[in-house]
Amino acid sequence: MLVRILTAVVGLPLLLAVVLLLPPIGTAILFALACMIAAYEMLWRTGIWKNKRVVAYTALMAAATVMWSWLKACRILNGEQLWISALAGLFVFFSLLFCELLAGHSKIQFTGMCAAVFAGFVYPFLIGALVRMRGMDGGQYYILVAFVLSMVADSGAYFVGRALGKHKLAPIVSPKKTIEGAIGGAIVNVLGMMLYTLVLSKCFGFAQVNYLYAAIYGLIGAVASIIGDLTLSVVKRQVGIKDYGNLFPGHGGILDRFDSTMMVAPMAEILLLIIPFAVK
C-alpha cells in the first residue's frame, strides 16, 4: 500500500506537468510510447502471442494510431486524407498479421491475432481520445477530465468499498470490488467532477459552466471506469497473471494503470462534443 501511495504522490504531479506544459505533439508522442509498451504487455507479457515480429508490428501500429489522433486533432490532414491514411495503415497491419497467422497456423491461435488487433488499434484509438481532446481549444484542461473521472472513481470505489463493501461486484474477475464501492465511487466521481468545474470557473477563466452536465460526466464516467477496469482484468485472469507489468511500482504496467482510462477517455471526448460542461 505504501509503495502504491508513494508512486501516486510522485506520478500525479508529473502527469499534471506533462498535460499542462507539453504542446499537443509532445502529449501525442508520450501516449504513443505508452501504447507501444501496452502492446508489448498485452502480447508478450501475457504470452498470448510471443512473436517478436508481431510484437513489433503491433507496437508500431499502436504508435501510428495515436499519432493519427494527433493529425486529426490538429487538422493537419483533411477528412479524406485522414481516412485514406487510416485505411492504408490498417490494411498493411492486417496483411502482416494474416501472413504471420498463415505461416504459423499450426501454432498460432486466432485469439492471438484478436489480441494484436486490440493492442495495436483498439486500445490506442481509445487512449487516443486524450490526444484528440488535447487538440481542442482549452484542451490541456479537457484532457484532465479523463484522469479526474478515472482516478477519482477508482479511489472512491476503493475506500468506500473497504469501509462499507459487503456485496461482491464481480467475485471471479475482481474479488475486491463491491457493489457498495461502485456506488460510492460514482457519488465521489460526481462530486469530484463538480469541484473540477468550479475550479475551472473560478481559477482558469471558463466563462460558461454547467454543473448538471458535470454531474452527468461523473456518473457515466464511473460506469465507464468500471467497464474498462473489469475488461482488462478478465484478460489477466484468463492468462493467469497478477499484473501486466511493473513499470509503476504498486500499480503494475501501462494496461494496469490506464485500464479505466481506456473507456473513460473516449466517453469524455463524446460528451465534450455533445454537451460541453465548461467553455472558455
Side-chain angles (χ1 to χ4, degrees):
M1 175 59 70
L2 180 60
V3 174
R4 186 181 179 91
I5 293 173
L6 289 175
T7 301
V9 168
V10 174
L12 283 176
L14 288 175
L15 177 63
L16 287 173
V18 164
V19 170
L20 294 175
L21 300 178
L22 280 183
I25 180 62
T27 304
I29 292 172
L30 182 68
F31 284 112
L33 292 173
C35 285
M36 292 181 76
I37 297 172
Y40 163 78
E41 291 176 350
M42 176 56 71
L43 297 181
W44 194 273
R45 290 276 299 183
T46 61
I48 292 176
W49 201 346
K50 277 199 170 185
N51 179 305
K52 292 181 180 179
R53 291 189 305 275
V54 171
V55 172
Y57 303 152
T58 307
L60 290 173
M61 184 63 191
T65 300
V66 175
M67 297 311 295
W68 180 89
S69 290
W70 171 72
L71 292 173
K72 184 179 186 301
C74 296
R75 299 176 180 85
I76 294 176
L77 300 178
N78 62 38
E80 184 178 357
Q81 291 170 330
L82 277 171
W83 286 113
I84 290 173
S85 63
L87 290 172
L90 286 171
F91 177 78
V92 172
F93 180 51
F94 289 155
S95 296
L96 291 171
L97 291 183
F98 284 136
C99 288
E100 294 290 343
L101 185 63
L102 292 171
H105 61 87
S106 61
K107 299 179 182 179
I108 299 170
Q109 299 295 319
F110 186 71
T111 51
M113 182 173 174
C114 293
V117 172
F118 174 84
F121 175 66
V122 178
Y123 181 81
F125 181 78
L126 296 175
I127 291 294
L130 297 169
V131 177
R132 297 189 293 273
M133 285 190 287
R134 182 62 182 85
M136 297 178 180
D137 184 26
Q140 66 266 47
Y141 303 105
Y142 289 145
I143 190 178
L144 283 175
V145 171
F147 296 113
V148 169
L149 291 174
S150 59
M151 293 180 181
V152 170
D154 285 349
S155 300
Y158 175 77
F159 288 110
V160 174
R162 286 197 65 176
L164 304 174
K166 294 181 179 179
H167 302 88
K168 300 296 183 181
L169 179 65
I172 297 177
V173 176
S174 188
K176 294 183 179 180
K177 284 185 170 53
T178 63
I179 294 174
E180 292 83 0
I183 295 172
I187 294 171
V188 173
N189 223 25
V190 168
L191 296 175
M193 191 61 200
M194 293 177 74
L195 177 61
Y196 183 63
T197 304
L198 178 65
V199 170
L200 291 183
S201 174
K202 300 300 182 182
C203 303
F204 295 101
F206 279 74
Q208 301 177 37
V209 295
N210 189 309
Y211 292 98
L212 174 60
Y213 289 171
I216 293 173
Y217 279 57
L219 183 60
I220 301 178
V223 176
S225 175
I226 292 171
I227 292 173
D229 190 337
L230 292 179
T231 298
L232 290 183
S233 291
V234 167
V235 179
K236 289 193 289 186
R237 297 297 174 267
Q238 290 183 348
V239 298
I241 61 173
K242 184 178 183 295
D243 294 316
Y244 286 102
N246 51 15
L247 185 62
F248 305 106
H251 292 264
I254 293 290
L255 291 175
D256 297 293
R257 181 60 272 173
F258 295 100
D259 50 3
S260 55
T261 310
M262 172 186 75
M263 294 300 293
V264 172
M267 179 227 73
E269 180 188 18
I270 292 168
L271 290 179
L272 283 168
L273 294 172
I274 299 173
I275 50 170
F277 74 100
V279 179
K280 273 279 192 179

